[in-house]
Amino acid sequence: MFCYQCQETAGCKGCTHRGVCGKTADVANLQDLLIYNLKGISMYAIKAEEVGMDNIAVDRLIMDSLFTTITNANFDREFFIERIKETLEVKENLRKVLEDKGVDLSSAKHDAAVWTADTVEEFEAKAKTVGVLATENEDVRSLRELLIYGVKGLAAYLHHAYALGYEDKNIYAFIRKALVSTTEALSVDEMVAIVLECGKFGVDGMAILDKANTTTYGHPEITKVNLGVRNNPAILISGHDLKDLEDLLEQTKGTGVDVYTHGEMLPAHYYPAFKKYDNFVGNYGNAWWKQNEEFEKFNGPILMTTNCLVPPKDSYKDRVYTTGAVGFSGLKHIEERNEGKSKDFSIIIEHAKKCASPTELEKGEIVGGFAHNTVFSLADKVVEAVKSGAIKRFFVMAGCDGRAKSRNYYTDFAKALPKDTVILTAGCAKYKYNKLDLGDIGGIPRVLDAGQCNDSYSLALIALKLKEAFELNDVNELPISYNIAWYEQKAVIVLLALLHLGVKNIHLGPTLPAFLSPNVVKVLVDNFGIGGITNVEDDMKMFME
Ligand code: FSO
Ligand code: SF4
């Protein structure tokens, strides 16, 4: 195996025996083969589109499959074997249909398109030859993988939007094009151009998800979220999928079973539609990487709706359920919803009834809900505070949390920020400082949480709104600094989206991605002023200058 797609990759170089995330070598290889097969399917799907065929089912399969390969989503060998079989079948069918129609397939003769096999042994042998290292040139590999990770993150966001009935064929078409481009001998300029184009579709993807979420559940509102527990049996829901949460809340209503959020599901509390459920109690615990300890103490069943699964400990393994793109051998999986129906969570609810109530981890509450609509409604107040000098600078500290001790930098940085600065956050990075009492500036809290990682879109809209309010020509003239923590591929698409919107001088930490070669880093530094982090003191000086 060779995988370097996330920030925690071994030695900041690459996982080669077993993932730091717990992904085994055989699963990593099968994921590589699945991606390879998606490239082949895309070659035929592009042809199919040219002749007017409806590709939507194929596009959804590509999207879903990409999502299953992101960090901490799916660890299940059997799942990937079955998915490879399915994609091979789809690929073959597509080829046959196109041949029957007399479509010229001479430009779709790449091995990724024509390769097929029947046995798992053949899959495993092939997988070893089509991974990341199959591209020898370090810079080409870097740009190809940057693009692949961008579309993986994008696919995850599209998946959440699709669950609510929203999709965009143009974005699917770009994903196909991007996948195929990684099999072509393109110039560096051409590859860079597609990577940047991916950022454009990143903005579109986050916009469609924002529309899906806010149209379905209302605009996030300023909300106090309870951190304590009640004395009832309960279910903990994690991940990002709001539709799963809705189904779960509907089905637990009146059963005596409470529901708490974990990790990235925290922002669900900000949506008006979920406030009507009396049993939707609060947020339990912290970011994804603390789940081993926190799931143990929760005592009840846990539902993982998207990525963020850490291989479970035996002590609570029987209480963890997966659904959607998530998978782990031995965990119970809740099947997809049938058209127009809800997912059936009754097994989890019955399980909860037999469990003790959660052990309390903390008390108190935190405030969030500062997505674009809320901040726009406060715009006058915010603009006034900037004009009067009450707010000197905003710090976008969106992104991810993770295991590395070096991430304590973000807690220290938040504590060290001058009192006349405001943090704009989204994603699980917030857990590094959302429970510090950083106070407020004239009633505006010093930590404004917009929501999940995809709600970084809100932060971009807020920046654009401020640009307008201050009548500036360039978003980089605003008193906003970007000190972003990244972990996995959704953060990659967020980064590409920000670059597309023209944001410069983003600092990324705790380390720069291992998949960026020195030359690719140079392109990003020269064109976008991308930088890393050093230490709180020096960085603070640099940002405040
Ligand atoms: Fe991931 Fe980052 Fe959304 Fe976190 S991009 S790691 S769990 O911020 O939030 O999925
Ligand atoms: Fe390693 Fe990250 Fe890949 Fe897991 S996802 S195998 S930790 S690089």
Side-chain angles (χ1 to χ4, degrees):
M1 74 172 280
F2 182 84
C3 181
Y4 63 175
Q5 67 177 356
C6 83
Q7 190 274 328
E8 294 189 355
T9 194
C12 218
K13 288 199 162 57
C15 296
T16 52
H17 297 297
R18 184 191 172 90
V20 173
C21 60
K23 184 163 75 176
T24 52
D26 60 332
V27 168
N29 290 341
L30 291 168
Q31 289 183 348
D32 287 345
L33 183 62
L34 176 58
I35 297 285
Y36 188 66
N37 217 21
L38 299 180
K39 296 176 185 181
I41 293 187
S42 297
M43 291 171 193
Y44 292 136
I46 288 172
K47 289 277 162 201
E49 187 169 58
E50 282 168 11
V51 297
M53 281 171 57
D54 179 14
N55 265 331
I56 200 81
V58 175
D59 283 329
R60 288 176 191 153
L61 180 67
I62 294 173
M63 165 190 70
D64 185 75
S65 300
L66 283 168
F67 187 15
T68 62
T69 69
I70 81 172
T71 304
N72 292 343
N74 201 313
F75 298 81
D76 186 357
R77 170 186 167 84
E78 289 312 311
F79 168 85
F80 286 105
I81 290 171
E82 287 313 308
R83 185 52 68 93
I84 289 166
K85 286 183 185 162
E86 185 184 350
T87 52
L88 281 174
E89 214 169 284
V90 167
K91 190 170 78 171
E92 283 296 282
N93 285 343
L94 207 47
R95 182 174 56 76
K96 282 199 192 103
V97 173
L98 290 165
E99 278 172 356
D100 290 348
K101 282 181 179 281
V103 177
D104 175 15
L105 293 179
S106 53
S107 63
K109 285 279 178 248
H110 190 279
D111 180 67
V114 296
W115 176 78
T116 189
D118 299 313
T119 66
V120 175
E121 291 72 36
E122 287 172 291
F123 293 176
E124 298 201 305
K126 184 70 177 176
K128 289 183 184 147
T129 68
V130 298
V132 172
L133 298 178
T135 302
E136 280 172 19
N137 181 292
E138 177 184 52
D139 300 324
V140 175
R141 187 195 306 148
S142 177
L143 287 166
R144 284 180 178 174
E145 294 308 316
L146 173 56
L147 181 59
I148 294 285
Y149 305 150
V151 295
K152 284 187 182 192
L154 175 55
Y157 291 152
L158 299 181
H159 195 277
H160 307 325
Y162 175 59
L164 296 174
Y166 289 75
E167 57 189 340
D168 179 343
K169 287 185 178 176
N170 293 324
I171 309 181
Y172 290 153
F174 172 76
I175 290 179
R176 278 185 254 127
K177 178 177 112 169
L179 287 168
V180 173
S181 80
T182 64
T183 67
E184 295 169 334
L186 301 181
S187 68
V188 166
D189 286 351
E190 287 170 320
M191 284 187 284
V192 170
I194 300 194
V195 166
L196 297 180
E197 195 182 357
C198 188
K200 178 212 173 289
F201 286 98
V203 175
D204 295 352
M206 283 190 271
I208 192 176
L209 177 53
D210 182 81
K211 188 166 173 218
N213 287 340
T214 56
T215 309
T216 316
Y217 303 117
H219 282 281
E221 299 166 341
I222 301 178
T223 306
K224 286 185 179 156
V225 181
N226 164 45
L227 301 176
V229 298
R230 302 202 300 200
N231 205 11
N232 296 325
I235 297 168
L236 188 60
I237 178 168
S238 181
H240 305 66
D241 197 296
L242 299 182
K243 183 70 183 163
D244 286 342
L245 173 67
E246 182 189 355
D247 286 354
L248 183 66
L249 288 171
E250 271 302 310
Q251 291 168 39
T252 49
K253 207 168 52 179
T255 61
V257 173
D258 287 342
V259 174
Y260 295 79
T261 52
H262 189 265
E264 270 289 75
M265 198 57 93
L266 154 67
H269 292 278
Y270 312 154
Y271 288 90
F274 300 128
K275 293 188 173 165
K276 64 174 182 271
Y277 298 97
D278 297 337
N279 63 330
F280 192 32
V281 177
N283 190 66
Y284 188 83
N286 295 281
W288 65 273
W289 62 278
K290 290 209 170 159
Q291 66 188 251
N292 280 157
E293 186 191 320
E294 293 171 352
F295 287 5
E296 197 151 62
K297 294 193 172 132
F298 186 73
N299 303 330
I302 300 125
L303 173 63
M304 302 299 301
T305 66
T306 66
N307 59 302
C308 302
L309 177 66
V310 172
K313 285 167 52 177
D314 287 344
S315 55
Y316 64 82
K317 197 172 182 176
D318 65 317
R319 290 191 272 118
V320 183
Y321 294 78
T322 62
T323 191
V326 194
F328 193 95
S329 176
L331 299 188
K332 289 168 258 357
H333 189 81
I334 306 295
E335 290 310 322
E336 278 317 302
R337 51 180 71 75
N338 291 322
E339 198 69 29
K341 296 245 174 71
S342 301
K343 280 190 188 173
D344 182 1
F345 293 128
S346 51
I347 178 179
I348 310 184
I349 298 167
E350 288 315 307
H351 189 158
K353 287 179 183 166
K354 295 185 206 121
C355 296
S357 61
T359 305
E360 189 155 78
L361 297 176
E362 57 197 324
K363 286 193 194 304
E365 47 191 25
I366 46 178
V367 181
F370 296 91
H372 55 88
N373 212 50
T374 305
V375 179
F376 287 6
S377 69
L378 296 172
D380 291 347
K381 213 172 164 185
V382 173
V383 169
E384 206 27 63
V386 175
K387 283 190 175 154
S388 71
I391 295 179
K392 281 254 159 37
R393 182 159 283 277
F394 295 93
F395 279 82
V396 172
M397 290 176 70
C400 319
D401 198 4
R403 303 171 175 98
K405 285 230 164 50
S406 54
R407 287 181 187 265
N408 291 338
Y409 163 95
Y410 295 102
T411 308
D412 297 340
F413 190 89
K415 283 185 188 162
L417 276 170
K419 298 264 174 291
D420 52 8
T421 57
V422 170
I423 296 174
L424 302 175
T425 193
C428 52
K430 64 168 93 34
Y431 284 101
K432 278 283 184 269
Y433 39 77
N434 66 348
K435 294 172 186 172
L436 301 175
D437 191 10
L438 295 181
D440 65 278
I441 300 176
I444 303 166
R446 288 194 53 230
V447 179
L448 299 181
D449 178 23
Q452 297 179 337
C453 45
N454 42 289
D455 295 308
S456 300
Y457 171 72
S458 258
L459 304 183
L461 290 191
I462 291 166
L464 294 172
K465 182 79 176 176
L466 290 176
K467 181 186 104 171
E468 200 183 291
F470 289 108
E471 296 176 357
L472 301 173
N473 295 322
D474 185 342
V475 77
N476 297 297
E477 291 168 25
L478 287 165
I480 303 183
S481 299
Y482 294 80
N483 193 6
I484 291 181
W486 82 285
Y487 170 53
E488 41 89 356
Q489 300 79 53
K490 290 181 180 177
V492 175
I493 192 62
V494 170
L495 174 70
L496 295 179
L498 291 175
L499 297 185
H500 170 74
L501 292 171
V503 176
K504 297 231 157 60
N505 304 321
I506 296 172
H507 286 259
L508 263 191
T511 53
L512 287 181
F515 56 80
L516 296 180
S517 68
N519 285 328
V520 173
V521 169
K522 191 170 178 323
V523 170
L524 294 174
V525 171
D526 292 349
N527 293 292
F528 300 101
I530 294 264
I533 59 168
T534 59
N535 60 71
V536 170
E537 206 181 316
D538 292 345
D539 288 353
M540 192 65 73
K541 260 189 232 144
M542 177 264 306
F543 281 121
M544 295 304 288
E545 256 165 23

